[in-house]
Amino acid sequence: MGAGTPSPAVRDGLQSAVKRVRVLLLSSLTLLAIAVAPLARADEFASLLSDLANGGFADKEKAVIALGRLGDERAVAVLTALKDGRLIKTPDGRILVSDAVRLTDPISSTAVSGITADEAERIRVNNRLRGAIEGAIGELTLFSSDPAARLAAAQDALRHPSADQPALLEKAIAAEQDAAIRAAMQQSLLASRLVAGSKAEKLAAVRALGDKTDPQIKNLLDQFRAAPDTDGELRQAADAALASIQNRLRLVRLAASLFEGVSLGSVLLLAAIGLAITFGVMGVINMAHGEMIMLGAYAAYVCQQLFRAFLPPGWIDGYLLLAVPVAFMFTAAVGILLERSVIRFLYGRPLETLLATWGVSLILQQAVRSIFGSPNREVANPAWMTGGFDPVGGFTITWNRLTIIVFCLIVLGVLALILNRTSFGLHMRAVTQNRAMASVMGIRSARIDALTFGLGSGIAGMAGVALSQIGNVSPNLGTIYIVDSFLVVVFGGVGNLMGTLVGALSLGIVNKFLEPVAGAILGKIVVLVAIILFIQRRPRGLFALKGRTAEAEA
Amino acid sequence: MRKTAWSPGFWACFFGCGLILAIAIPAFNLLVPPNSPAALPDYLVPLLGKYLCYALLALSLDLIWGYAGILSLGQGAFFALGGYCVGMYLMRQIGARGVYGNPLLPDFMVFLNWQQLPWFWWGFDHFAWAAAMVVLVPGLLALVFGWLAFRSRVTGVYLSIITQAMTYALMLAFFRNDMGFGGNNGMTDYKDLLGWDVHQPSTRLGLYLASVVALGLGYLLCRFITASKLGRVLLALRDAESRVRFLGYSVTNAKLFVFTISAILAGIAGALYVPQVGIINPSEFSPGNSIEVAIWVSVGGRGTLSGAVVGAILVNAAKTWLTGAAPETWLFVLGALFVLTTLVFPHGMVGLLRRARWIRPRAPAPVPAGEQA
Amino acid sequence: MKAPVTTDALLYLNGVTVSFDGFKALDELSLIVEEGELRTIIGPNGAGKTTMMDVVTGKTRPDAGEALFRGFADLTRLDEPEIANLGIGRKFQRPTVFENLTVFENLELSLADSRATWATLFARLTPDHHDRIAATLARIGLTALSDLPAGALSHGQKQWLEIGMLLIHDRTLLLLDEPVAGMTDSETEETAELILDLAKDRTIVVVEHDMAFVRSLGARVTVLHEGSVLAEGSIDHVQNHPRVIEVYLGR
């Protein structure tokens, strides 16, 4: 601007030029900011951090609020540390997060060595600041881009309801897109109203909370009811809400027991269906039935290992789809071999069949032990069978259990179709009812025997695949199920698929309902004794065939 | 006919075997110098005693399975119950010499924080009480269980299945720590029996001789029953149960009688077994053990008392040898024995010998083809 | 409780009904057999003859009706051994002897003697028992075969042995289910003679298909059809009965 004072026109021109430059600069800065936002924000994060450490309480509060708005995930650790008094300033001015084991630089998230917390100065907070910190943390997490973090924050708010939450939660609810998270937030909002709301709000919150099933809410209401500042009306409302929660919890527990019972029942049923064919229809008492289940489980294991070894990693979830038919074919083949080589010589001699097949079961166990070794083998659930969902709150239905229940019903249905709607089923029933007559009519009874036994064994193999999904696979797998399977078939009534279904489900459910009362093992003992007594009262089981044919079998 | 049951030939055989077991074996143990090849080392005495207990157990199963067609898969449970009764007595004899030095409670109860002795342990300080329980506990269980089962005419494989379920339930129960029977560790570390140290070779020889006597008496009892008219009723009901009813015999009572006797014999076998092996634990209840007894009987020849004894000793000797020499093959061999004896040698070794000597089989029947009503 | 029935009849069946899954094997069957009588019962397959015997011997419990023996013993409440010990003996349709026991032992088990389990454990054969077994063996013609397992006998010999087992125990009432099934003509004749001989001092009910045999017994005939009595009387009477002809020929 040379020497002397500039003219006003020049001054105006200059000013507008500066303005223009400023606009230009600003817009380019904005562009720059968009391009290098993390960098810019990192700088902001660092400068806010330094404000936290060096300013007065008012500056700190501003910095805290700014950190909350920044949306930087690293701020959560810093704010939590600040609140707990674990944020420290070193003599050389660095700001570090200290925890029980190490010091961490919050900017780079790396551990810092060569300095101890004792040499550093703790950054202090007052109550007002503490409130601001909590708000900021809630804001950071409730508005996080990660849905899991938002859900966790919403649930966390339920555990520690505080006075400044309602406003924040309301804002979060308005912004939330995900219905499940919004529900969790609303629940937390109600809980926070219990702490901070007006009497009318408290009353509304108590009533609304009565519809929930979360045990956490029950605890909260218990505390609320016991609090000294809760008046009579509120207490009454709380009592009503508690009673309704109690009721619902009882129902949930009932539903949970029922699901567990059906789940156990479906496992028993899967283990027993094959036996319902070989023992129920053919009258062959096959003590190696458990080992057929075990072989099926190992077939699943082998399929999994083959997929792991030879197929791209993305295919691994498909191994189960291959394992089911493979297990069926393999165990059916073993079953047919067993029938042709041993069992067919023992028809009509059930006790001898029992002993011979027990011998076969020992051989199969030892063979598997020799090939695969005695330790348990792990068969992983495919991704689509892991995890579960919570239908009403309070208990989880896992996908693997649910899949087994559905699978079991499909197997039973297909089997009923085979027995009642196919010519093989017709021949099978004909042979088992009157062998001589069936032979006269041209049915090759030996072939039918082998196929029937193969069918029963194959189903046991599929049961093995299912069992591999909920437990360990070991050579002893079959021995766990053999006693139970026989009891299910005898209890349900021999030769009656419907009886087997009802028998398995009722045993499963009774077992699970007894467990909370008597404990797992005692419950099982009680069930065993009850079945023994039942069989002695009704030797032919739940759904007994009656009449002359039934008596002739005796 | 039955006059031959107590013939001089039988007594000669009986006492011949008895002399070998009761005199010759102790003599080889005591009189032959230990370095001589003919000497019977001390460690073999309880092993032989164990085989004799198994033989008595096999005899008990043969009485009901071979003669009355009842394949009980609960013999192992009666055996274990008898064993537990003696185990409890032996635990009480330890007194304050246990690891915890508690004079009132066995070690495992101290470990589990029990404050006082449960009522069902009362009386087990006395040998006479324990001995009475060895007979009463398995006997009463068999009486009640058998009464329920036989009265409702549970037969054949159904009976096998529910006896197996009973065994399984007992196993689960004895595995529980709060049952007061030592949980899955069972009872061990015995010190003395009637004042004699159970680890002393002389005590072990005494126990061995007691096993010889028990087996001999058990054999005579079984022979008396099977040679009596009741024995013929049992054979008859094995083959045609309802026909026996129409003749006026109570099938329920006949079965109940032998089932109870058989359970008592199994209990006595277990009682003699425990001090010789030094431990009793719930795995003795495992269903597999009970089924294995059936194979001892089958290998020897079911329906012949001597077959049961011979089968039990041979199979167990083979087991001892094979589990030492080639452990992984034992289950293959045992499994094959199950299959072969049922398929190829239904009359077992005694049947083979009889056929070789062309003696008409008397008691071992052609396998009953199930009753036709 | 039902009103007490007074009857002099040895066997008194009144309104006995047995059904299996809806099928009525016996439909209000009423039958009276007097002491000392020889009665033959005929009827087509499924008429309920075997079920009637099952009810009398305690094998099957009727759904309704009364079954009295000697006017006081309620057969619907007793089990098989108890009924057998009242003096009711039964011979099955198929010969059921104890195949693994000898002929002698089969007869020994049938001797009139205590049936209690404890008693059988200590039972000894008296000379009288031996005499009676020997006499029965002679009567059924199996003396030479007395030490043979019964399973080794021919079909006819098994039938005879079974009859011998009924003979040796002095039963009051004998129920014979098709005693001549599978016998040769001469064996059938001998059996008819034996039954007539037996009938002199006991009550016998014979179920039979063989009309020639029924005629040779010359006894009162009861015709069963669909679980109840269709006709009763002499053989000529029932053979000319129009309903009987219809049932037998109309099928």
Side-chain angles (χ1 to χ4, degrees):
Chain A
M1 272 154 235
T5 44
S7 67
V10 170
R11 205 187 294 145
D12 278 3
L14 260 178
Q15 274 180 344
S16 65
V18 168
K19 249 185 202 161
R20 231 172 282 145
V21 169
R22 216 187 260 163
V23 168
L24 246 174
L25 254 174
L26 267 176
S27 49
S28 57
L29 261 179
T30 317
L31 278 172
L32 202 76
I34 291 167
V36 290
L39 202 65
R41 216 183 273 168
D43 287 343
E44 204 177 344
F45 182 68
S47 79
L48 286 171
L49 215 55
S50 115
D51 287 352
L52 267 187
N54 303 317
F57 280 122
D59 296 327
K60 283 181 181 169
E61 192 177 343
K62 272 189 207 139
V64 164
I65 292 167
L67 271 177
R69 302 255 158 88
L70 197 62
D72 192 316
E73 320 272 294
R74 290 172 299 177
V76 180
V78 171
L79 289 171
T80 317
L82 178 63
K83 190 179 78 169
D84 299 345
R86 291 187 290 105
L87 195 68
I88 56 172
K89 190 171 83 171
T90 59
D92 58 348
R94 281 187 296 165
I95 294 148
L96 301 177
V97 171
S98 115
D99 59 31
V101 283
R102 69 169 80 82
L103 297 173
T104 316
D105 182 345
I107 300 174
S108 60
S109 300
T110 50
V112 177
S113 56
I115 199 164
T116 61
D118 304 335
E119 304 166 40
E121 178 199 344
R122 195 166 61 89
I123 298 171
R124 298 185 332 168
V125 286
N126 63 3
N127 276 343
R128 185 181 161 79
L129 200 52
R130 215 168 261 134
I133 294 170
E134 274 170 12
I137 293 176
E139 192 160 14
L140 270 173
T141 49
L142 280 172
F143 295 93
S144 161
S145 58
D146 177 11
R150 294 202 301 276
L151 187 64
Q155 283 162 348
D156 196 52
L158 182 66
R159 266 189 291 281
H160 312 288
S162 66
D164 50 348
Q165 273 173 355
L168 193 63
L169 281 166
E170 274 168 2
K171 228 166 78 189
I173 289 166
E176 185 56 61
Q177 300 293 319
D178 186 317
I181 301 176
R182 201 183 311 133
M185 286 174 171
Q186 256 148 359
Q187 192 163 302
S188 300
L189 175 64
L190 290 171
S192 67
R193 289 242 169 87
L194 281 187
V195 181
S198 67
K199 189 179 166 187
E201 275 176 337
K202 281 184 181 173
L203 207 55
V206 165
R207 285 185 182 139
L209 284 175
D211 291 344
K212 308 293 181 199
T213 39
D214 197 330
Q216 195 69 49
I217 292 176
K218 186 180 157 280
N219 290 345
L220 221 60
L221 279 171
D222 275 331
Q223 282 167 22
F224 175 72
R225 196 193 161 284
D229 55 340
T230 306
D231 68 16
E233 191 185 354
L234 281 175
R235 193 161 292 153
Q236 236 174 355
D239 282 341
L242 275 171
S244 118
I245 289 178
Q246 202 81 295
N247 244 337
R248 206 162 297 107
L249 276 177
R250 204 172 298 134
L251 283 178
V252 166
R253 266 199 296 272
L254 204 72
S257 293
L258 205 63
F259 174 72
E260 282 168 13
V262 171
S263 166
L264 176 65
S266 70
V267 168
L268 287 177
L269 181 56
L270 266 179
I273 295 176
L275 208 62
I277 304 265
T278 52
F279 179 46
V281 180
M282 299 176 76
V284 169
I285 175 147
N286 179 18
M287 295 302 273
H289 178 78
E291 277 57 44
M292 298 294 170
I293 296 175
M294 183 263 291
L295 288 181
Y298 272 94
Y301 171 72
V302 169
C303 282
Q304 172 193 263
Q305 296 308 90
L306 288 178
F307 266 64
R308 278 194 186 149
F310 297 113
L311 289 174
W315 291 38
I316 186 70
D317 281 348
Y319 85 89
L320 206 54
L321 299 180
L322 181 72
V324 171
V326 164
F328 180 86
M329 301 301 277
F330 178 62
T331 48
V334 173
I336 289 174
L337 193 69
L338 174 61
E339 198 274 343
R340 286 289 92 185
S341 60
V342 176
I343 290 170
R344 72 174 162 133
F345 302 108
L346 297 171
Y347 283 125
R349 290 153 63 187
L351 296 182
E352 276 80 358
T353 315
L354 186 157
L355 294 177
T357 51
W358 178 264
V360 171
S361 84
L362 294 182
I363 292 172
L364 288 176
Q365 274 177 43
Q366 186 57 43
V368 167
R369 203 172 284 128
S370 299
I371 297 169
F372 294 95
S374 343
N376 290 338
R377 296 284 156 182
E378 180 255 341
V379 177
N381 287 333
W384 50 273
M385 267 175 80
T386 43
F389 67 99
D390 186 338
V392 292
F395 84 99
T396 308
I397 291 182
T398 53
W399 289 117
N400 58 356
R401 295 260 169 195
L402 194 64
T403 311
I404 288 176
I405 294 175
V406 173
F407 180 66
C408 160
L409 292 177
I410 293 174
V411 169
L412 194 67
V414 170
L415 185 63
L417 281 182
I418 290 177
L419 287 185
N420 297 323
R421 293 273 186 277
T422 65
S423 68
F424 168 61
L426 183 68
H427 289 176
M428 191 170 121
R429 281 178 292 145
V431 168
T432 52
Q433 276 164 27
N434 193 332
R435 179 172 300 270
M437 183 63 85
S439 302
V440 169
M441 293 173 68
I443 297 171
R444 287 157 70 190
S445 60
R447 201 181 125 100
I448 296 291
D449 284 335
L451 289 178
T452 311
F453 198 83
L455 176 67
S457 304
I459 292 173
M462 295 199 292
V465 177
L467 292 180
S468 76
Q469 296 299 307
I470 53 166
N472 287 318
V473 176
S474 78
N476 303 328
L477 177 72
T479 52
I480 305 168
Y481 289 98
I482 189 71
V483 175
D484 287 338
S485 310
F486 270 106
L487 288 182
V488 163
V489 174
V490 174
F491 175 64
V494 173
N496 188 320
L497 272 190
M498 194 64 199
T500 308
L501 172 71
V502 175
L505 286 183
S506 49
L507 286 190
I509 291 170
V510 167
N511 220 324
K512 284 297 168 186
F513 272 81
L514 270 176
E515 252 175 40
V517 187
I521 296 180
L522 201 58
K524 186 153 176 66
I525 295 171
V526 170
V527 169
L528 279 174
V529 172
I531 298 178
I532 291 173
L533 291 177
F534 176 85
I535 290 172
Q536 286 168 340
R537 283 211 61 79
R538 296 189 60 175
R540 300 194 169 278
L542 217 48
F543 292 87
L545 296 169
K546 233 176 115 187
R548 291 169 66 121
T549 47
E551 283 188 25
E553 287 165 12
Chain B
M1 244 174 280
R2 72 221 61 86
K3 283 135 214 144
T4 59
W6 305 108
S7 64
F10 159 73
W11 286 115
C13 278
F14 180 78
F15 281 113
C17 294
L19 283 179
I20 291 173
L21 288 174
I23 309 276
I25 285 186
F28 278 106
N29 175 237
L30 295 176
L31 303 181
V32 179
N35 49 5
S36 147
L40 190 82
D42 280 346
Y43 76 88
L44 272 184
V45 171
L47 190 66
L48 289 175
K50 194 174 94 169
Y51 294 163
L52 297 182
C53 295
Y54 285 149
L56 184 56
L57 176 60
L59 205 55
S60 79
L61 180 66
D62 196 27
L63 176 65
I64 52 175
W65 181 37
Y67 289 87
I70 305 166
L71 178 53
S72 157
L73 299 182
Q75 289 312 99
F78 298 130
F79 181 81
L81 286 174
Y84 264 96
C85 289
V86 163
M88 287 160 80
Y89 163 75
L90 291 170
M91 289 307 275
R92 300 304 292 144
Q93 294 311 105
I94 296 174
R97 287 171 291 171
V99 176
Y100 294 101
N102 188 320
L104 296 176
L105 295 179
D107 275 348
F108 72 86
M109 289 194 190
V110 180
F111 180 71
L112 292 170
N113 282 324
W114 288 57
Q115 296 308 315
Q116 58 184 35
L117 206 60
W119 59 267
F120 46 83
W121 276 74
W122 296 346
F124 278 96
D125 308 30
H126 307 289
F127 182 78
W129 175 265
M133 287 300 130
V134 164
V135 171
L136 283 179
V137 172
L140 281 178
L141 177 62
L143 194 67
V144 172
F145 189 93
W147 184 74
L148 286 168
F150 300 137
R151 189 192 49 146
S152 10
R153 300 188 186 171
V154 179
T155 55
V157 283
Y158 293 87
L159 190 90
S160 302
I161 290 172
I162 62 167
T163 50
Q164 188 181 41
M166 173 195 82
T167 309
Y168 188 59
L170 280 170
M171 180 179 78
L172 291 177
F174 275 77
F175 263 120
R176 282 163 49 88
N177 278 333
D178 40 1
M179 276 286 287
F181 297 110
N184 55 354
N185 295 320
M187 304 174 191
T188 185
D189 290 336
Y190 307 134
K191 303 286 189 232
D192 43 37
L193 171 75
L194 287 170
W196 290 301
D197 183 350
V198 288
H199 303 290
Q200 283 298 318
S202 57
T203 313
R204 303 198 143 190
L205 195 59
L207 282 166
Y208 165 80
L209 288 173
S211 308
V212 174
V213 171
L215 180 61
L217 291 178
Y219 186 90
L220 290 180
L221 176 66
C222 289
R223 192 168 176 92
F224 175 73
I225 292 173
T226 54
S228 74
K229 188 172 172 184
L230 178 63
R232 289 184 286 286
V233 172
L234 292 177
L235 277 180
L237 72 84
R238 182 186 72 182
D239 301 337
E241 184 170 315
S242 67
R243 185 75 180 86
V244 175
R245 283 206 184 87
F246 288 122
L247 271 187
Y249 293 98
S250 167
V251 169
T252 308
N253 289 350
K255 281 183 170 179
L256 194 53
F257 177 77
V258 283
F259 189 63
T260 308
I261 293 283
S262 154
I264 292 172
L265 288 178
I268 293 173
L272 286 162
Y273 169 86
V274 167
Q276 299 191 69
V277 298
I279 185 170
I280 178 79
N281 64 34
S283 65
E284 293 293 338
F285 283 103
S286 76
N289 283 13
S290 292
I291 300 187
E292 215 180 301
V293 183
I295 216 58
W296 307 342
V297 176
S298 282
V299 166
R302 65 181 268 227
T304 59
L305 298 174
S306 51
V309 173
V310 171
I313 294 175
L314 280 184
V315 175
N316 281 294
K319 183 179 188 172
T320 308
W321 174 66
L322 257 187
T323 46
E328 65 284 351
T329 58
W330 167 242
L331 279 185
F332 287 127
V333 170
L334 185 64
L337 275 180
F338 270 103
V339 177
L340 289 179
T341 50
T342 45
L343 278 186
V344 190
F345 311 112
H347 301 309
M349 304 189 52
V350 171
L352 282 181
L353 288 175
R354 281 209 160 118
R355 208 179 327 163
R357 291 191 298 164
W358 208 250
I359 292 174
R360 178 172 61 80
R362 168 64 186 71
V367 191
E371 193 185 345
Q372 303 295 322
Chain C
M1 287 296 292
K2 290 165 278 189
V5 185
T6 50
T7 170
D8 299 335
L10 187 71
L11 181 66
Y12 175 89
L13 300 182
N14 184 28
V16 172
T17 302
V18 173
S19 55
F20 299 118
D21 283 341
F23 164 72
K24 281 196 172 167
L26 289 185
D27 188 4
E28 305 230 345
L29 173 72
S30 298
L31 182 74
I32 291 175
V33 179
E34 299 293 345
E35 179 127 32
E37 194 183 344
L38 171 62
R39 173 74 63 92
T40 45
I41 293 180
I42 61 171
N45 277 329
K49 304 181 299 277
T50 301
T51 309
M52 185 273 291
M53 287 205 173
D54 285 347
V55 168
V56 173
T57 52
K59 183 165 187 254
T60 299
R61 293 257 180 272
D63 302 326
E66 299 161 297
L68 295 177
F69 182 66
R70 288 189 186 282
F72 65 88
D74 185 351
L75 299 179
T76 63
R77 290 171 181 279
L78 301 173
D79 68 8
E80 297 102 312
E82 287 167 332
I83 290 174
N85 288 323
L86 283 174
I88 299 180
R90 176 174 185 182
K91 190 211 149 297
F92 287 85
Q93 201 165 334
R94 265 187 295 186
T96 42
V97 293
F98 303 119
E99 311 226 331
N100 289 307
L101 298 179
T102 63
V103 171
F104 184 96
E105 288 166 337
N106 267 282
L107 291 173
E108 180 200 353
L109 286 189
S110 314
L111 274 173
D113 200 354
S114 171
R115 255 63 169 149
T117 303
W118 198 249
T120 56
L121 189 58
F122 298 100
R124 287 283 169 275
L125 281 178
T126 62
D128 174 49
H129 287 152
H130 274 289
D131 293 347
R132 285 167 58 194
I133 292 174
T136 310
L137 280 171
R139 191 161 185 189
I140 58 177
L142 294 177
T143 310
L145 306 174
S146 82
D147 283 344
L148 207 64
L153 297 179
S154 74
H155 184 85
Q157 285 168 330
K158 285 180 186 170
Q159 295 273 35
W160 279 93
L161 175 57
E162 204 179 354
I163 291 171
M165 289 164 72
L166 290 173
L167 276 178
I168 199 163
H169 186 282
D170 289 318
R171 307 282 189 174
T172 319
L173 173 64
L174 288 186
L175 304 172
L176 308 180
D177 199 349
E178 303 198 19
V180 296
M183 282 192 175
T184 62
D185 284 350
S186 67
E187 281 173 332
T188 304
E189 270 173 46
E190 282 178 67
T191 308
E193 278 169 36
L194 181 64
I195 289 174
L196 286 172
D197 191 27
L198 287 174
K200 286 173 190 156
D201 47 10
R202 47 177 84 65
T203 313
I204 299 182
V205 175
V206 182
V207 165
E208 191 49 72
H209 271 308
D210 184 336
M211 290 309 276
F213 176 70
V214 171
R215 185 169 284 279
S216 69
L217 291 180
R220 190 175 169 83
V221 176
T222 301
V223 185
L224 290 192
H225 177 58
E226 290 179 351
S228 49
V229 175
L230 186 69
E232 203 168 278
S234 71
I235 180 81
D236 294 319
H237 169 75
V238 299
Q239 273 191 328
N240 294 317
H241 195 289
R243 283 281 291 136
V244 175
I245 293 168
E246 186 192 326
V247 163
Y248 266 89
L249 301 178
R251 279 153 37 92

